[in-house]
């Protein structure tokens, strides 16, 4: 099923998201 | 009867053999049993990207703008698992007003995990469902679970 | 005495014993002072003691409803000055303000509120 969505990544376990410095900003510099 | 941490240790491998994603009469695709599952058995983790709750609004707006279906599960007031772009088969588990599974947030070695357990014995071929427990809202989302005690709306 | 608040902050921040310094890691979050102002002109200063590679600060003035699990300047309840590129932020909109600041710099923040 994950092959149908090329941007999707199948995981075996949780991954902790690493926030960018501009994570909350309206436009990403 | 084993401790949670021990039951969790083998889950990533065993869940791939015990459940699979197929077409669902409830909605789109669903998660189905590939073998009989015992009552109380730990079935699968709802895995994805662990994000801070303060990031969910922006992410939801982004997904809506791209017409991407949003798959998020709240761990607690501070953390959310976002399985929209990175996740496992658990994201396909549909809601039912008469579910055969339930979810629990379990702390294992200092990290919180969303785990899906069987409420009763589930036979091979059955679709796995749990009660989403959406909060009450004015704008209603119709429920398509088709169960006898269907509450008509998800929220 | 105005100090960094222990109960008005993101819990993951580490506040020093004297409550005059704070250290963070990973994503942006906020700590506020123990006292607030509502009228008149006020000023405070902060010094950047350490700023490792890849880290940044957004410092300024904020109101009670500003989200502590976001940088200051994320919503309408705060106004901040960022170390990286010296950008000012309000409602998540960054605008050019000054050149960047960093380790060893002392920053001053002035606010002028109506007297009534």
């Amino acid at each position: 099923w994950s092959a149908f969505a090329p941007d999707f990544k199948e995981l075996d376990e949780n991954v902790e998201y690493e926030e960018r410095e501009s994570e909350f900003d309206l436009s990403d510099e | 009867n084993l401790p949670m941490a021990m039951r969790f240790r083998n889950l990533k491998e065993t869940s791939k053999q015990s459940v699979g994603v197929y077409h669902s009469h409830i909605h789109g695709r669903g998660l189905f049993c590939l073998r009989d599952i015992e009552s109380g058995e730990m079935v699968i983790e709802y895995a994805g990207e662990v994000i801070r709750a303060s990031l969910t609004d922006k992410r939801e707006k982004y997904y809506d703008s791209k017409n991407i279906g949003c798959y998020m599960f709240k761990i607690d007031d501070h953390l959310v698992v976002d399985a929209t772009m990175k996740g496992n088969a658990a994201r396909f588990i549909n809601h039912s007003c008469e579910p055969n599974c339930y979810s629990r947030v379990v702390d294992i070695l200092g990290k919180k995990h969303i785990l899906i357990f069987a409420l009763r014995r589930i036979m091979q071929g059955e679709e796995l469902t749990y009660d989403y427990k959406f909060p009450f809202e004015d704008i209603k989302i119709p429920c398509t679970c088709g169960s006898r005690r269907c509450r008509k709306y998800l929220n | 005495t105005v100090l960094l608040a222990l109960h008005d902050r993101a819990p993951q921040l580490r506040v020093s014993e004297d409550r005059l310094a704070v250290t963070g890691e990973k994503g942006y979050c906020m700590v506020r002072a123990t006292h607030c102002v509502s009228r008149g002109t006020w000023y405070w200063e902060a010094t950047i003691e350490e700023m490792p590679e890849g880290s940044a600060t957004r410092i300024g003035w904020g109101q009670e409803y500003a989200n502590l699990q976001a940088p200051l300047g994320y919503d309408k309840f705060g106004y901040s000055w960022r170390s990286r590129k010296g950008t000012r932020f309000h409602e998540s909109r960054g605008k050019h303000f000054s050149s960047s600041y960093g380790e060893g710099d002392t920053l001053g923040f002035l606010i002028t509120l109506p007297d009534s």
Side-chain angles (χ1 to χ4, degrees), chain C residues 1-6 8 19 32-36:
Chain C
T1 307
V2 179
L3 300 168
L4 293 171
L6 289 178
D8 191 16
R19 295 169 64 184
R32 273 191 285 259
T34 49
H35 294 75
C36 62

Side-chain angles (χ1 to χ4, degrees), chain B:
Chain B
N1 293 324
L2 294 171
M4 283 289 181
M6 276 189 77
R7 296 166 73 186
F8 178 74
R9 203 185 304 160
N10 296 322
L11 189 62
K12 351 177 194 200
E13 288 313 313
T14 57
S15 62
K16 283 187 176 160
Q17 284 138 29
S18 55
V19 295
V21 179
Y22 297 92
H23 169 75
S24 162
H25 76 276
I26 297 177
H27 176 78
R29 287 172 284 184
L31 196 67
F32 290 77
C33 285
L34 301 177
R35 59 160 174 84
D36 291 353
I37 289 175
E38 299 307 315
S39 174
E41 191 173 329
M42 190 186 283
V43 180
I44 190 169
E45 176 181 15
Y46 191 103
E49 270 189 313
V50 180
I51 62 170
R52 281 196 286 166
S54 50
L55 289 178
T56 54
D57 279 350
K58 197 167 181 231
R59 281 194 173 211
E60 259 184 277
K61 284 191 180 110
Y62 173 77
Y63 295 144
D64 284 347
S65 73
K66 300 282 182 196
N67 260 333
I68 299 171
C70 181
Y71 295 78
M72 290 195 194
F73 200 128
K74 185 172 140 169
I75 290 176
D76 55 30
D77 288 340
H78 305 290
L79 293 174
V80 167
V81 171
D82 182 0
T84 307
M85 301 303 294
K86 290 182 185 172
N88 70 354
R91 71 205 280 281
F92 290 108
I93 303 177
N94 283 311
H95 163 88
S96 174
C97 301
E98 283 185 89
N100 52 28
C101 292
Y102 63 95
S103 62
R104 280 287 180 273
V105 176
V106 177
D107 191 314
I108 293 169
L109 302 174
K111 288 209 157 118
K112 290 185 179 179
H113 299 266
I114 299 165
L115 299 174
I116 309 295
F117 296 86
L119 256 178
R120 56 164 174 79
R121 189 156 201 265
I122 309 172
M123 309 304 284
Q124 181 184 8
E126 267 192 81
E127 180 171 358
L128 295 159
T129 56
Y130 65 88
D131 188 335
Y132 280 9
K133 294 190 179 152
F134 278 179
F136 187 88
E137 278 171 323
D138 289 332
I139 298 171
K140 298 297 187 199
I141 309 167
C143 180
T144 50
C145 75
S147 64
R148 267 187 309 163
R149 290 199 220 121
C150 178
R151 301 192 296 265
K152 305 287 184 256
Y153 302 109
L154 292 179
N155 55 350

Side-chain angles (χ1 to χ4, degrees), chain A residues 16 21 24-26 29, chain C residues 26 28 58 82 84 92:
Chain A
E16 199 180 300
E21 192 275 325
F24 290 86
D25 302 338
L26 273 175
E29 286 182 79
Chain C
K26 299 187 185 173
Y28 272 121
R58 297 189 190 193
R82 180 176 66 172
R84 186 170 153 252
S92 297

